[in-house]
Amino acid sequence: MDNEGSNDVPEDANEHCPGPRSESAGKSDACAGCPNQEVCATAPKGPDPDLVAIAERMSSVKHKILVLSGKGGVGKSTFSAQLSYALAAKDFQVGLLDIDICGPSIPKMLGLEGQEIHQSNLGWSPVYVESNLGVMSIGFMLPDPDEAVIWRGPRKNGIIKQFLKDVYWGELDFLIVDAPPGTSDEHISIVQFLQATGIDGAIIVTTPQQVSLIDVRKEVSFCKKVDLNVLGVVENMSGLCQPLTDMKFLSMTETGYQKDMTEWVMSSLREKAPEMLNLVAFTDVFDSSGGGAEKMCGDMKVPFMGKVPMDPQLCRAAEEGRSCFSDKDKCRASAPALKKIIDKLLEQLNVTMMNGE
């Protein structure tokens, strides 16, 4: 990986800065003309002491899982949130760390908007959804939720390091890390910072169409290059799936005029085919003729974890910041699919269910 010395690269450093703790700091060709050159040349060299602090903090975390995606908009944060909800419902102690610095959506998806981080003598305290589900995100630090986070790489790396060494999670069974899309600074940093503490691996989320899978292939390649185990790939939005009774039916003309025919359709079904009211409608939204994520996994020799359909009830649960597994407005299409994937993950990690399921 890049940055042979440290991720604490000054913001005003030259483009190819070796890092202030590198043996070549202040002496390499890349340092010429840098305002930090003299300071770096005389600064102490060697291992980053913060990595020792991170290792100590992470020693109380049994399993660390990164959730990645090749591109944005594939439902990665929704999956991270629902994975965390599901593990907490199984009585595991769960932490959810949002390192999507520029687009922190986890506070919204956990129903924690407007919450703030508190400091104790042990460090920063996570914001808790339940007693066994804590959350940390830069979203809790923004005075205005509409404020853009315009940070260069070094500052992003600094806050990620701070999250890892200064947040007091206590004893955790799982730390789920929701990463931004792509393979940029944040991904390199989180792997570098956590590698010595033991990462179980990454779950990669995609949608079925080729434009998404092209980027996922790059994500898989990234994981292999940085020696990060790919636990599996999840195909999200794998077709639109919802109860027939939740659908709206329209009559449309060539000019685009729409007439709502829902009540007519439903009354006809109730009268002539009431058994159809229990059916679930399904249609492919994205082109999966290329074989989707399952074929890609076969080509790249990584595990395929399963498919999650596009479910309006799951979208609603994410918007309202609640679990899709709750009895209220249960997500009939997506919850069973997610449960299968999560059970497969626990089996893969050889983790025993806490509540005896």
Side-chain angles (χ1 to χ4, degrees):
M1 287 185 284
D2 295 330
N3 279 0
E4 58 188 274
S6 167
N7 278 298
D8 287 337
V9 177
E11 287 195 49
D12 55 352
N14 288 354
E15 186 177 356
H16 299 292
C17 173
R21 293 185 181 279
S22 166
E23 290 298 329
S24 59
K27 304 170 186 175
S28 74
D29 292 342
C31 299
C34 177
N36 307 291
Q37 185 173 11
E38 186 176 343
V39 174
C40 288
T42 57
K45 307 299 189 290
D48 185 347
D50 284 340
L51 295 183
V52 177
I54 290 171
E56 288 176 359
R57 190 67 89 176
M58 290 292 109
S59 64
S60 61
V61 180
K62 293 178 185 174
H63 298 282
K64 306 170 196 73
I65 298 171
L66 308 188
V67 181
L68 310 176
S69 68
K71 64 195 283 63
V74 300
K76 169 188 55 60
S77 294
T78 300
F79 179 81
S80 298
Q82 297 303 326
L83 171 61
S84 301
Y85 272 129
L87 293 172
K90 294 178 183 294
D91 293 338
F92 292 111
Q93 295 291 328
V94 182
L96 175 54
L97 175 59
D98 180 8
I99 64 165
D100 192 343
I101 307 302
C102 296
S105 53
I106 287 298
K108 170 77 172 172
M109 292 185 175
L110 275 294
L112 298 173
E113 284 184 300
Q115 298 290 324
E116 296 179 353
I117 296 172
H118 298 286
Q119 183 120 15
S120 72
N121 58 343
L122 296 172
W124 287 347
S125 297
V127 178
Y128 284 90
V129 184
E130 305 284 349
S131 60
N132 65 333
L133 175 52
V135 181
M136 180 56 67
S137 168
I138 195 173
F140 299 136
M141 299 177 171
L142 302 178
D144 180 354
D146 296 331
E147 184 178 326
V149 180
I150 307 173
W151 287 2
R152 293 184 183 274
R155 194 172 178 194
K156 289 180 183 178
N157 298 339
I159 192 67
I160 291 171
K161 181 184 282 188
Q162 210 165 352
F163 279 157
L164 292 175
K165 75 183 181 67
D166 291 346
V167 176
Y168 178 68
W169 298 99
E171 297 284 334
L172 285 184
D173 295 301
F174 290 94
L175 178 65
I176 309 300
V177 181
D178 183 48
T183 55
S184 55
D185 283 347
E186 294 95 318
H187 305 81
I188 297 169
S189 296
I190 195 73
V191 173
Q192 281 184 329
F193 296 155
L194 283 181
Q195 212 145 39
T197 74
I199 312 174
D200 289 87
I203 297 173
I204 302 174
V205 181
T206 184
T207 49
Q209 78 275 37
Q210 286 299 315
V211 70
S212 180
L213 293 173
I214 288 169
D215 291 332
V216 170
R217 288 174 178 272
K218 296 171 185 172
E219 198 78 36
V220 172
S221 296
F222 166 81
C223 290
K224 290 179 177 178
K225 283 181 179 178
V226 299
D227 199 25
L228 177 62
N229 181 36
V230 177
L231 294 169
V233 175
V234 173
E235 184 178 283
N236 199 25
M237 305 185 197
S238 187
L240 174 64
C241 189
Q242 66 182 118
L244 197 65
T245 52
D246 288 350
M247 300 192 78
K248 182 179 284 190
F249 296 86
L250 303 174
S251 171
M252 300 180 67
T253 66
E254 290 183 3
T255 60
Y257 173 76
Q258 298 179 358
K259 183 179 179 182
D260 191 339
M261 304 295 290
T262 306
E263 184 50 43
W264 176 76
V265 171
M266 290 302 168
S267 61
S268 299
L269 289 176
R270 281 192 292 269
E271 181 183 341
K272 298 175 182 177
E275 65 278 6
M276 289 184 65
L277 296 173
N278 295 320
L279 296 179
V280 173
F282 177 88
T283 183
D284 282 317
V285 177
F286 300 113
D287 178 21
S288 57
S289 59
E294 191 166 9
K295 182 179 184 303
M296 184 219 68
C297 287
D299 294 342
M300 299 201 77
K301 295 180 173 53
V302 293
F304 178 65
M305 300 190 81
K307 301 180 180 183
V308 181
M310 186 181 291
D311 179 358
Q313 290 179 324
L314 174 59
C315 298
R316 197 173 302 121
E319 285 289 307
E320 295 173 1
R322 57 181 172 80
S323 170
C324 75
F325 303 98
S326 63
D327 293 332
K328 178 193 173 187
D329 299 328
K330 192 166 184 180
C331 303
R332 286 174 53 190
S334 54
L338 282 164
K339 184 178 183 302
K340 278 185 181 179
I341 290 169
I342 292 162
D343 288 346
K344 185 181 288 188
L345 171 66
L346 292 175
E347 184 179 348
Q348 187 176 344
L349 297 177
N350 198 25
V351 176
T352 305
M353 307 286 183
M354 296 295 286
N355 57 13
E357 288 184 11

